[in-house]
């Protein structure tokens, strides 16, 4: 620290966009913390600064959560929390604090974020954070855009992050506590809609993972680890060997996202034996992405039948399977994709379906450039961009009413009382059964059916809303403005002017400007 000013650093990990706790939130929000804000907290302390770390789960009072005279505030946010993050940043900037945005929103919408933060970070590693701390000044009206050349080559492990993890897990209302760990960054697959498709696959240090797992066994009787790897198990044998060595008594339980292609029966048995109790394979579409589901060129019903067999095989060994789908992709047309998904659910009664609406998050993925060129991206406020509350890409083969009608029909099929009962019956273990029932009858299942049904009714009756959906106007409908105001509560007054809107084609404009400059 010699010669360096000791800074008061605030770190805010926003996991929810609404300052109101719900029952689900009290159980789960503390389990949804990100790893990067914890890593930044460790790096700031290593640099000798005073750190106040807050994982925002909706129960904290952000007006008083940080000490007075903070020098700098780092905020990590997904796009759905952007408006809350902008309001918090504004509140602190008015007090003279320098603010920094990192995380997915900063990577997807950097130019927009520059309007509301002093620093906006792309890829972030320790040298980059050290540079920000050394500068620690106001950059207004346009924040400074900074990025490392790639993802960090290493990250602080659980042992180093423990005090931040422990404080965050203490906020969960039950003993169901998930420790966030990561063993790899990026993905070797190239799903064109995915932010990780353009990040080189890179395993992290397996020695750190082994040490972290052994450390966790001293903290919990039966620890639960949620792997944050975008695609767990690319280096399957290395990974599993480390887990098996670290936990010979098989006390640990694990949750991971993995593509079906990496889950042969032999591997699934090994996962189950190592303590994996939940896996989240991405099926995405019945027409594309054959490589990641190991269905090759098979399409439509043929692919569905193969995937259903595959998922049933996994469920014979692992109790909880969440099947991820993206609805409204350009390859979808007519009733078939929805009907195939229904048949898939009938054939795999134990699997929990998770539906994402096809969305284009700024410059997250290569496909977004093409969608912006085609003028198909809508200017929904960020607050609704969470793959569920809004679909910001105009579907290629559906009118909006047709799309919503088919989506509602599929969801009613997925979360009918009969389907919930069959799912509970086909699932082993009371925690997986309980999770499936709660998710189906809460805001995720029945809640979204109601939300989409309201939306369909509005599309038929609210002319300004329909005009916005049809790209006839950019004016954000009052319906959405009112919802943001209601959701932000006291933070609405701190939302900067203009922060409800953004340039939805900023990525295209940037690429075009770069091309002109290069001529
Ligand atoms: S397999 Fe999953 S993580 Fe990898 S690029 Fe595709 S969607 Fe992204």
């Amino acid at each position: 620290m010699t010669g360096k000013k000791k800074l008061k650093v605030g770190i805010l990990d926003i996991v929810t966009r609404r300052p109101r706790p719900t029952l689900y939130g009290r159980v789960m929000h503390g389990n949804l913390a990100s790893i990067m804000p914890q890593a930044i907290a460790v790096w700031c302390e290593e640099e000798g600064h005073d750190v106040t770390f807050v994982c925002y789960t909706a129960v904290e009072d952000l007006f008083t959560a940080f000490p007075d005279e903070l020098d700098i505030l780092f905020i990590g946010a997904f796009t759905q929390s952007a408006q809350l993050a902008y309001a918090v940043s504004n509140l602190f900037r008015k007090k003279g604090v320098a603010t920094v945005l990192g995380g997915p929103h900063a990577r997807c919408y950097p130019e927009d974020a520059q309007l509301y933060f002093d620093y906006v970070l792309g890829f972030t590693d320790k040298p980059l954070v050290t540079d920000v701390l050394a500068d620690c000044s106001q950059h207004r009206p346009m924040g400074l855009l900074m990025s490392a050349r790639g993802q960090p080559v290493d990250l602080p492990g659980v042992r180093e992050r423990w005090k931040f993890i422990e404080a965050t897990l203490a906020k969960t209302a039950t003993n169901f506590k998930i420790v966030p760990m990561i063993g790899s960054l990026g993905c070797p697959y190239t799903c064109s809609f995915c932010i990780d498709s353009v990040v080189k696959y890179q395993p992290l240090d397996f020695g750190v993972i082994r040490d972290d797992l052994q450390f966790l066994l001293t903290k919990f009787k039966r620890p639960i680890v949620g792997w944050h790897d975008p695609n767990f198990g690319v280096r399957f044998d290395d990974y599993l060997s480390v887990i098996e060595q670290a936990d010979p008594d098989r006390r640990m339980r694990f949750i991971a996202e993995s593509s079906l292609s990496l889950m042969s029966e032999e591997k699934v048995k090994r996962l189950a034996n190592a303590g994996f109790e939940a896996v989240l394979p991405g099926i995405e579409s019945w027409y594309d992405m054959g490589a990641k589901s190991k269905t090759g060129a098979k399409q439509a019903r043929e692919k569905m039948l193969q995937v259903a067999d595959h998922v049933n095989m996994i469920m014979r060994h692992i109790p909880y399977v969440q099947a991820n789908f993206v609805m409204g992709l350009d390859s979808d047309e007519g009733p078939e994709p929805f009907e195939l998904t229904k048949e898939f659910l009938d054939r795999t009664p134990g699997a929990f379906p998770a539906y994402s609406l096809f969305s284009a998050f700024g410059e997250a993925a290569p496909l977004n450039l093409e969608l912006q060129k085609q003028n198909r991206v809508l200017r929904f406020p960020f607050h609704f961009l969470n793959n569920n509350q809004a679909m910001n890409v105009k579907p290629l083969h559906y009118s909006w009413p047709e799309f919503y009608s088919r989506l509602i029909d599929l969801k009613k099929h997925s979360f009918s009382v009969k389907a919930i009962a069959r799912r509970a019956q086909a699932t082993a273990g009371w925690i997986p059964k309980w999770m499936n029932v709660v998710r189906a009858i809460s805001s995720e299942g029945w809640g979204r059916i109601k939300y989409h049904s309201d939306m369909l009714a509005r599309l038929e009756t609210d002319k300004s809303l329909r005009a916005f959906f049809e790209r006839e106007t950019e004016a954000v409908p009052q319906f959405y403005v009112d919802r943001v105001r209601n959701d932000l509560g006291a933070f609405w007054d701190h939302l900067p002017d203009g922060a409800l809107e953004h340039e939805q084609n900023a990525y295209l404009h940037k690429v075009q400007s770069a091309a002109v400059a290069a001529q």
Side-chain angles (χ1 to χ4, degrees), residues 68-98:
D68 292 338
E69 296 167 9
L70 212 57
D71 293 299
I72 188 163
L73 176 64
F74 288 80
I75 299 179
F78 285 82
T79 289
Q80 64 166 337
S81 308
Q83 261 96 27
L84 177 58
Y86 288 4
V88 173
S89 175
N90 191 29
L91 175 70
F92 280 85
R93 290 176 97 184
K94 281 190 269 187
K95 296 190 224 174
V97 179

Side-chain angles (χ1 to χ4, degrees), residues 330-341:
D330 284 0
S331 52
D332 289 355
E333 193 167 0
E336 189 179 69
F338 296 89
E339 296 304 317
L340 287 175
T341 309

Side-chain angles (χ1 to χ4, degrees), residues 186-198 229-231 257-259 282 284 289 292:
C187 180
Y189 292 99
T190 54
C191 309
S192 56
F193 58 81
C194 175
I195 192 166
D196 289 298
S197 65
V198 290
D229 305 47
N231 196 349
E257 284 198 43
S258 179
S259 45
E284 326 300 8
M289 272 75 76
K292 66 180 290 198

Side-chain angles (χ1 to χ4, degrees), residues 369-381:
L369 198 55
E370 196 49 44
L371 294 168
Q372 292 183 16
K373 270 186 205 156
Q374 294 169 8
N375 199 22
R376 287 173 55 201
V377 181
L378 282 77
R379 188 181 285 185
F380 276 105

